Amino acid sequence: AQKITQTQPGMFVQEKEAVTLDCTYDTSDPSYGLFWYKQPSSGEMIFLIYQGSYDQQNATEGRYSLNFQKARKSANLVISASQLGDSAMYFCAMREERSGGSNYKLTFGKGTLLTVNP
Amino acid sequence: KAGVTQTPRYLIKTRGQQVTLSCSPISGHRSVSWYQQTPGQGLQFLFEYFSETQRNKGNFPGRFSGRQFSNSRSEMNVSTLELGDSALYLCASSTGLAGEQYFGPGTRLTVT
């Protein structure tokens, strides 16, 4: 069974500084995808970044980068130059990606509440 | 390209009633998944449809059902509502293969 662990219930960061949100995962599947989502208080789940298990390079999307360490089963999110609007709940998730997508579901961690201070 | 849309955004129902929620995926996406989010249980997978077929189902009672139409739009139905069904219901859209998965804004259901 898949499992996602986010050990930081809450994090604080100063505006313009970088912050790392931790995520470790457990799976026996060789092919999987890792995701990070941002959920502001409005409730919408905003896609941030995706990393496939066979991708050689770490994924980056603007100020977001995913520090993928396959051997350690870790997929930490790095946000550079934090902004006040980054204050939100952040969820790490994973999904099997077998051929045919027979078990196509996201398993989520419990989330990390990030607060950006001015 | 338009994003994932969900209707209605807010809903108030009473116990015992039934409810139908709708999700329109991103154009070209054939997979729609549904999730329930509550403060106690977090985000839980309900089911996933791909090309009108349910491919996977989570651990929810049979009161929760869904379907997908030929245009990939999906509906989720909950019958005989219980207080514990109060939650944010999110649908997610993707190609159904590897890659990104996008969520809609959610439907916030309150059961009184």
Side-chain angles (χ1 to χ4, degrees):
Chain A
Q2 298 179 333
K3 185 176 180 182
I4 294 284
T5 303
Q6 294 181 254
T7 57
Q8 306 153 314
M11 287 282 286
F12 293 88
V13 66
Q14 288 297 122
E15 195 178 5
K16 299 180 185 177
E17 292 186 349
V19 63
T20 297
L21 305 184
D22 294 342
C23 173
T24 57
Y25 61 92
D26 190 23
T27 182
S28 56
D29 296 297
S31 181
Y32 51 88
L34 294 158
F35 301 75
W36 277 92
Y37 291 92
K38 171 186 176 182
Q39 189 176 44
S41 55
S42 62
E44 184 169 2
M45 193 75 75
I46 301 167
F47 168 79
L48 294 178
I49 198 165
Y50 163 83
Q51 177 91 39
S53 59
Y54 291 114
D55 292 343
Q56 295 297 314
Q57 294 192 334
N58 287 342
T60 60
E61 289 284 352
R63 294 186 300 112
Y64 305 106
S65 61
L66 198 153
N67 185 1
F68 181 45
Q69 298 187 44
K70 196 169 183 177
R72 297 180 60 186
K73 293 190 174 179
S74 139
N76 297 340
L77 177 71
V78 180
I79 305 174
S80 63
S82 297
Q83 302 173 354
L84 296 178
D86 293 336
S87 293
M89 184 70 85
Y90 288 80
F91 290 96
C92 179
M94 77 177 299
R95 180 186 71 200
E96 284 180 17
E97 291 183 344
R98 300 175 193 169
S99 168
S102 60
N103 194 24
Y104 204 85
K105 69 173 188 178
L106 286 168
T107 300
F108 286 88
K110 293 191 180 300
T112 296
L113 182 61
L114 177 66
T115 303
V116 181
N117 294 316
Chain B
K1 191 185 264 193
V4 183
T5 58
Q6 289 187 248
T7 57
R9 293 292 310 279
Y10 302 91
L11 208 48
I12 300 175
K13 292 285 189 179
T14 55
R15 278 178 296 176
Q17 287 187 316
Q18 76 166 19
V19 68
T20 299
L21 312 182
S22 180
C23 173
S24 292
I26 292 169
S27 177
H29 284 187
R30 295 163 66 191
S31 169
V32 174
S33 304
W34 289 89
Y35 294 82
Q36 181 196 64
Q37 185 178 27
T38 59
Q41 299 298 319
L43 283 146
Q44 294 184 287
F45 172 78
L46 282 154
F47 29 66
E48 186 244 354
Y49 286 87
F50 180 81
S51 292
E52 302 180 64
T53 300
Q54 186 182 87
R55 281 202 298 193
N56 199 12
K57 190 177 189 302
N59 295 324
F60 278 80
R63 300 186 297 107
F64 292 82
S65 63
R67 59 178 175 169
Q68 187 180 33
F69 302 94
S70 58
N71 62 357
S72 293
R73 189 178 71 85
S74 177
E75 287 183 347
M76 188 191 91
N77 185 74
V78 188
S79 62
T80 320
L81 284 165
E82 300 177 0
L83 295 178
D85 297 333
S86 293
L88 178 65
Y89 290 88
L90 293 158
C91 84
S93 159
S94 74
T95 61
L97 305 173
E100 298 140 4
Q101 193 161 353
Y102 297 92
F103 282 82
T107 294
R108 197 169 291 278
L109 172 66
T110 302
V111 182
T112 62

